[in-house]
PDB file of all heavy atoms in Angstrom:
ATOM      1  N   ARG A   6      41.941 -78.883-125.710  1.00  0.00           N
ATOM      2  CA  ARG A   6      42.668 -78.328-126.846  1.00  0.00           C
ATOM      3  C   ARG A   6      44.155 -78.417-126.556  1.00  0.00           C
ATOM      4  O   ARG A   6      44.632 -78.095-125.479  1.00  0.00           O
ATOM      5  CB  ARG A   6      42.259 -76.852-127.020  1.00  0.00           C
ATOM      6  CG  ARG A   6      43.018 -76.131-128.107  1.00  0.00           C
ATOM      7  CD  ARG A   6      42.476 -74.724-128.285  1.00  0.00           C
ATOM      8  NE  ARG A   6      42.429 -74.019-127.031  1.00  0.00           N
ATOM      9  CZ  ARG A   6      43.501 -73.427-126.482  1.00  0.00           C
ATOM     10  NH1 ARG A   6      44.666 -73.471-127.088  1.00  0.00           N
ATOM     11  NH2 ARG A   6      43.395 -72.782-125.336  1.00  0.00           N
ATOM     12  N   ALA A  49      57.255 -79.533-106.565  1.00  0.00           N
ATOM     13  CA  ALA A  49      56.773 -80.911-106.495  1.00  0.00           C
ATOM     14  C   ALA A  49      55.283 -80.942-106.139  1.00  0.00           C
ATOM     15  O   ALA A  49      54.517 -81.746-106.680  1.00  0.00           O
ATOM     16  CB  ALA A  49      57.572 -81.696-105.466  1.00  0.00           C
ATOM     17  N   GLU A  76      45.078 -70.644-111.518  1.00  0.00           N
ATOM     18  CA  GLU A  76      44.017 -69.934-112.235  1.00  0.00           C
ATOM     19  C   GLU A  76      44.343 -68.445-112.347  1.00  0.00           C
ATOM     20  O   GLU A  76      44.111 -67.824-113.389  1.00  0.00           O
ATOM     21  CB  GLU A  76      42.686 -70.141-111.508  1.00  0.00           C
ATOM     22  CG  GLU A  76      41.508 -69.507-112.215  1.00  0.00           C
ATOM     23  CD  GLU A  76      40.187 -69.826-111.533  1.00  0.00           C
ATOM     24  OE1 GLU A  76      40.182 -70.642-110.594  1.00  0.00           O
ATOM     25  OE2 GLU A  76      39.159 -69.249-111.938  1.00  0.00           O
ATOM     26  N   GLN A  88      53.152 -86.173-121.682  1.00  0.00           N
ATOM     27  CA  GLN A  88      52.759 -87.408-122.352  1.00  0.00           C
ATOM     28  C   GLN A  88      53.855 -87.915-123.275  1.00  0.00           C
ATOM     29  O   GLN A  88      54.093 -89.120-123.380  1.00  0.00           O
ATOM     30  CB  GLN A  88      51.461 -87.158-123.126  1.00  0.00           C
ATOM     31  CG  GLN A  88      50.257 -86.980-122.217  1.00  0.00           C
ATOM     32  CD  GLN A  88      49.135 -86.209-122.864  1.00  0.00           C
ATOM     33  OE1 GLN A  88      49.269 -85.736-123.993  1.00  0.00           O
ATOM     34  NE2 GLN A  88      48.028 -86.050-122.159  1.00  0.00           N
ATOM     35  N   ARG A  93      53.397 -91.435-124.605  1.00  0.00           N
ATOM     36  CA  ARG A  93      51.961 -91.490-124.825  1.00  0.00           C
ATOM     37  C   ARG A  93      51.529 -90.385-125.777  1.00  0.00           C
ATOM     38  O   ARG A  93      52.230 -89.402-125.974  1.00  0.00           O
ATOM     39  CB  ARG A  93      51.210 -91.369-123.497  1.00  0.00           C
ATOM     40  CG  ARG A  93      51.403 -92.583-122.595  1.00  0.00           C
ATOM     41  CD  ARG A  93      50.680 -92.421-121.283  1.00  0.00           C
ATOM     42  NE  ARG A  93      50.861 -93.604-120.439  1.00  0.00           N
ATOM     43  CZ  ARG A  93      50.775 -93.594-119.124  1.00  0.00           C
ATOM     44  NH1 ARG A  93      50.528 -92.454-118.496  1.00  0.00           N
ATOM     45  NH2 ARG A  93      50.939 -94.705-118.441  1.00  0.00           N
ATOM     46  N   GLY A  95      48.236 -89.024-125.510  1.00  0.00           N
ATOM     47  CA  GLY A  95      47.167 -88.222-124.910  1.00  0.00           C
ATOM     48  C   GLY A  95      45.819 -88.451-125.554  1.00  0.00           C
ATOM     49  O   GLY A  95      44.849 -87.768-125.244  1.00  0.00           O
ATOM     50  N   ALA A 100      34.684 -95.932-128.249  1.00  0.00           N
ATOM     51  CA  ALA A 100      33.955 -96.706-129.258  1.00  0.00           C
ATOM     52  C   ALA A 100      32.520 -96.913-128.795  1.00  0.00           C
ATOM     53  O   ALA A 100      32.274 -97.384-127.683  1.00  0.00           O
ATOM     54  CB  ALA A 100      34.635 -98.055-129.487  1.00  0.00           C
ATOM     55  N   LEU A 108      21.588 -92.128-126.425  1.00  0.00           N
ATOM     56  CA  LEU A 108      22.420 -92.436-125.268  1.00  0.00           C
ATOM     57  C   LEU A 108      23.886 -92.145-125.549  1.00  0.00           C
ATOM     58  O   LEU A 108      24.598 -91.568-124.722  1.00  0.00           O
ATOM     59  CB  LEU A 108      22.255 -93.901-124.865  1.00  0.00           C
ATOM     60  CG  LEU A 108      23.219 -94.389-123.762  1.00  0.00           C
ATOM     61  CD1 LEU A 108      22.970 -93.650-122.453  1.00  0.00           C
ATOM     62  CD2 LEU A 108      23.109 -95.893-123.556  1.00  0.00           C
ATOM     63  N   ALA A 119      35.166 -84.915-119.059  1.00  0.00           N
ATOM     64  CA  ALA A 119      36.197 -85.577-118.265  1.00  0.00           C
ATOM     65  C   ALA A 119      37.560 -85.492-118.937  1.00  0.00           C
ATOM     66  O   ALA A 119      38.583 -85.291-118.277  1.00  0.00           O
ATOM     67  CB  ALA A 119      35.814 -87.038-118.019  1.00  0.00           C
ATOM     68  N   ARG A 140      42.886-103.402-135.252  1.00  0.00           N
ATOM     69  CA  ARG A 140      43.963-102.853-136.083  1.00  0.00           C
ATOM     70  C   ARG A 140      44.345-101.442-135.639  1.00  0.00           C
ATOM     71  O   ARG A 140      45.527-101.111-135.522  1.00  0.00           O
ATOM     72  CB  ARG A 140      43.519-102.840-137.548  1.00  0.00           C
ATOM     73  CG  ARG A 140      44.531-102.186-138.487  1.00  0.00           C
ATOM     74  CD  ARG A 140      44.103-102.293-139.942  1.00  0.00           C
ATOM     75  NE  ARG A 140      42.784-101.761-140.174  1.00  0.00           N
ATOM     76  CZ  ARG A 140      42.510-100.459-140.279  1.00  0.00           C
ATOM     77  NH1 ARG A 140      43.483 -99.562-140.156  1.00  0.00           N
ATOM     78  NH2 ARG A 140      41.273-100.055-140.510  1.00  0.00           N
ATOM     79  N   LEU A 142      43.872-100.004-132.700  1.00  0.00           N
ATOM     80  CA  LEU A 142      44.482-100.012-131.369  1.00  0.00           C
ATOM     81  C   LEU A 142      45.898-100.576-131.407  1.00  0.00           C
ATOM     82  O   LEU A 142      46.759-100.159-130.632  1.00  0.00           O
ATOM     83  CB  LEU A 142      43.611-100.824-130.408  1.00  0.00           C
ATOM     84  CG  LEU A 142      42.261-100.186-130.052  1.00  0.00           C
ATOM     85  CD1 LEU A 142      41.382-101.182-129.316  1.00  0.00           C
ATOM     86  CD2 LEU A 142      42.468 -98.941-129.190  1.00  0.00           C
ATOM     87  N   ASN A 156      29.429-105.346-128.170  1.00  0.00           N
ATOM     88  CA  ASN A 156      28.795-106.629-128.450  1.00  0.00           C
ATOM     89  C   ASN A 156      29.751-107.756-128.051  1.00  0.00           C
ATOM     90  O   ASN A 156      30.932-107.527-127.750  1.00  0.00           O
ATOM     91  CB  ASN A 156      28.359-106.742-129.912  1.00  0.00           C
ATOM     92  CG  ASN A 156      29.521-106.685-130.884  1.00  0.00           C
ATOM     93  OD1 ASN A 156      30.555-107.323-130.685  1.00  0.00           O
ATOM     94  ND2 ASN A 156      29.364-105.927-131.962  1.00  0.00           N
ATOM     95  N   VAL A 167      46.067-103.320-124.523  1.00  0.00           N
ATOM     96  CA  VAL A 167      45.596-101.936-124.521  1.00  0.00           C
ATOM     97  C   VAL A 167      44.752-101.685-123.269  1.00  0.00           C
ATOM     98  O   VAL A 167      43.790-102.415-123.013  1.00  0.00           O
ATOM     99  CB  VAL A 167      44.745-101.657-125.778  1.00  0.00           C
ATOM    100  CG1 VAL A 167      44.188-100.230-125.739  1.00  0.00           C
ATOM    101  CG2 VAL A 167      45.569-101.866-127.034  1.00  0.00           C
ATOM    102  N   ASP A 187      29.278-100.253-114.750  1.00  0.00           N
ATOM    103  CA  ASP A 187      28.049-101.018-114.960  1.00  0.00           C
ATOM    104  C   ASP A 187      26.827-100.109-114.887  1.00  0.00           C
ATOM    105  O   ASP A 187      26.721 -99.263-113.997  1.00  0.00           O
ATOM    106  CB  ASP A 187      27.939-102.121-113.901  1.00  0.00           C
ATOM    107  CG  ASP A 187      26.649-102.908-114.018  1.00  0.00           C
ATOM    108  OD1 ASP A 187      26.223-103.175-115.155  1.00  0.00           O
ATOM    109  OD2 ASP A 187      26.067-103.260-112.973  1.00  0.00           O
ATOM    110  N   LEU A 204      -0.225 -98.825-112.361  1.00  0.00           N
ATOM    111  CA  LEU A 204      -1.352 -98.144-112.998  1.00  0.00           C
ATOM    112  C   LEU A 204      -2.468 -99.109-113.382  1.00  0.00           C
ATOM    113  O   LEU A 204      -3.470 -98.697-113.976  1.00  0.00           O
ATOM    114  CB  LEU A 204      -0.866 -97.393-114.245  1.00  0.00           C
ATOM    115  CG  LEU A 204       0.040 -96.186-113.987  1.00  0.00           C
ATOM    116  CD1 LEU A 204       0.592 -95.647-115.304  1.00  0.00           C
ATOM    117  CD2 LEU A 204      -0.703 -95.085-113.232  1.00  0.00           C
ATOM    118  N   ASP A 249      12.281 -96.967-139.548  1.00  0.00           N
ATOM    119  CA  ASP A 249      11.361 -97.831-140.288  1.00  0.00           C
ATOM    120  C   ASP A 249      11.126 -99.195-139.641  1.00  0.00           C
ATOM    121  O   ASP A 249       9.961 -99.616-139.509  1.00  0.00           O
ATOM    122  CB  ASP A 249      11.847 -98.008-141.728  1.00  0.00           C
ATOM    123  CG  ASP A 249      11.799 -96.697-142.512  1.00  0.00           C
ATOM    124  OD1 ASP A 249      11.108 -95.766-142.054  1.00  0.00           O
ATOM    125  OD2 ASP A 249      12.451 -96.608-143.564  1.00  0.00           O
ATOM    126  N   ALA A 254       7.257-102.694-136.701  1.00  0.00           N
ATOM    127  CA  ALA A 254       6.933-103.561-135.565  1.00  0.00           C
ATOM    128  C   ALA A 254       5.839-102.955-134.701  1.00  0.00           C
ATOM    129  O   ALA A 254       4.936-103.661-134.220  1.00  0.00           O
ATOM    130  CB  ALA A 254       8.197-103.808-134.735  1.00  0.00           C
ATOM    131  N   VAL A 294      -3.241 -96.296-125.419  1.00  0.00           N
ATOM    132  CA  VAL A 294      -2.043 -97.096-125.165  1.00  0.00           C
ATOM    133  C   VAL A 294      -1.035 -96.253-124.393  1.00  0.00           C
ATOM    134  O   VAL A 294      -0.703 -95.137-124.796  1.00  0.00           O
ATOM    135  CB  VAL A 294      -1.424 -97.637-126.485  1.00  0.00           C
ATOM    136  CG1 VAL A 294      -1.067 -96.513-127.443  1.00  0.00           C
ATOM    137  CG2 VAL A 294      -0.212 -98.506-126.196  1.00  0.00           C
ATOM    138  N   ASN A 303      16.613 -86.302-125.565  1.00  0.00           N
ATOM    139  CA  ASN A 303      15.983 -84.990-125.659  1.00  0.00           C
ATOM    140  C   ASN A 303      14.584 -85.059-126.248  1.00  0.00           C
ATOM    141  O   ASN A 303      13.681 -84.317-125.853  1.00  0.00           O
ATOM    142  CB  ASN A 303      16.854 -84.050-126.502  1.00  0.00           C
ATOM    143  CG  ASN A 303      18.133 -83.662-125.803  1.00  0.00           C
ATOM    144  OD1 ASN A 303      18.212 -83.707-124.569  1.00  0.00           O
ATOM    145  ND2 ASN A 303      19.138 -83.275-126.564  1.00  0.00           N
ATOM    146  N   GLY A 319      23.586 -90.970-119.278  1.00  0.00           N
ATOM    147  CA  GLY A 319      24.674 -91.178-120.232  1.00  0.00           C
ATOM    148  C   GLY A 319      25.893 -90.314-119.965  1.00  0.00           C
ATOM    149  O   GLY A 319      27.028 -90.764-120.119  1.00  0.00           O
ATOM    150  N   GLU A 321      26.996 -89.208-117.130  1.00  0.00           N
ATOM    151  CA  GLU A 321      27.726 -89.780-115.994  1.00  0.00           C
ATOM    152  C   GLU A 321      28.532 -91.004-116.435  1.00  0.00           C
ATOM    153  O   GLU A 321      29.670 -91.209-115.988  1.00  0.00           O
ATOM    154  CB  GLU A 321      26.760 -90.150-114.873  1.00  0.00           C
ATOM    155  CG  GLU A 321      27.456 -90.678-113.623  1.00  0.00           C
ATOM    156  CD  GLU A 321      26.491 -91.024-112.505  1.00  0.00           C
ATOM    157  OE1 GLU A 321      25.280 -90.766-112.644  1.00  0.00           O
ATOM    158  OE2 GLU A 321      26.961 -91.568-111.482  1.00  0.00           O
ATOM    159  N   MET A 333      43.967 -95.077-114.787  1.00  0.00           N
ATOM    160  CA  MET A 333      44.774 -96.199-115.267  1.00  0.00           C
ATOM    161  C   MET A 333      46.058 -95.699-115.931  1.00  0.00           C
ATOM    162  O   MET A 333      47.132 -96.262-115.727  1.00  0.00           O
ATOM    163  CB  MET A 333      43.971 -97.048-116.244  1.00  0.00           C
ATOM    164  CG  MET A 333      42.803 -97.783-115.624  1.00  0.00           C
ATOM    165  SD  MET A 333      41.803 -98.665-116.857  1.00  0.00           S
ATOM    166  CE  MET A 333      42.915 -99.999-117.321  1.00  0.00           C
ATOM    167  N   VAL A 339      42.591 -98.704-109.580  1.00  0.00           N
ATOM    168  CA  VAL A 339      41.218 -98.302-109.875  1.00  0.00           C
ATOM    169  C   VAL A 339      40.244 -99.345-109.355  1.00  0.00           C
ATOM    170  O   VAL A 339      40.589-100.526-109.200  1.00  0.00           O
ATOM    171  CB  VAL A 339      41.004 -98.111-111.396  1.00  0.00           C
ATOM    172  CG1 VAL A 339      41.909 -97.027-111.932  1.00  0.00           C
ATOM    173  CG2 VAL A 339      41.212 -99.413-112.150  1.00  0.00           C
ATOM    174  N   LEU A 342      34.953-102.231-110.478  1.00  0.00           N
ATOM    175  CA  LEU A 342      33.549-102.116-110.847  1.00  0.00           C
ATOM    176  C   LEU A 342      32.948-100.863-110.235  1.00  0.00           C
ATOM    177  O   LEU A 342      33.027-100.641-109.037  1.00  0.00           O
ATOM    178  CB  LEU A 342      32.765-103.349-110.375  1.00  0.00           C
ATOM    179  CG  LEU A 342      31.261-103.363-110.683  1.00  0.00           C
ATOM    180  CD1 LEU A 342      31.021-103.373-112.182  1.00  0.00           C
ATOM    181  CD2 LEU A 342      30.590-104.565-110.016  1.00  0.00           C
TER     182      LEU A 342
END
Side-chain angles (χ1 to χ4, degrees):
R6 176 175 52 81
E76 183 175 353
Q88 289 157 356
R93 292 179 179 155
L108 173 64
R140 176 175 55 79
L142 291 169
N156 63 45
V167 177
D187 177 39
L204 291 173
D249 294 343
V294 58
N303 290 336
E321 183 179 355
M333 293 175 71
V339 299
L342 179 63

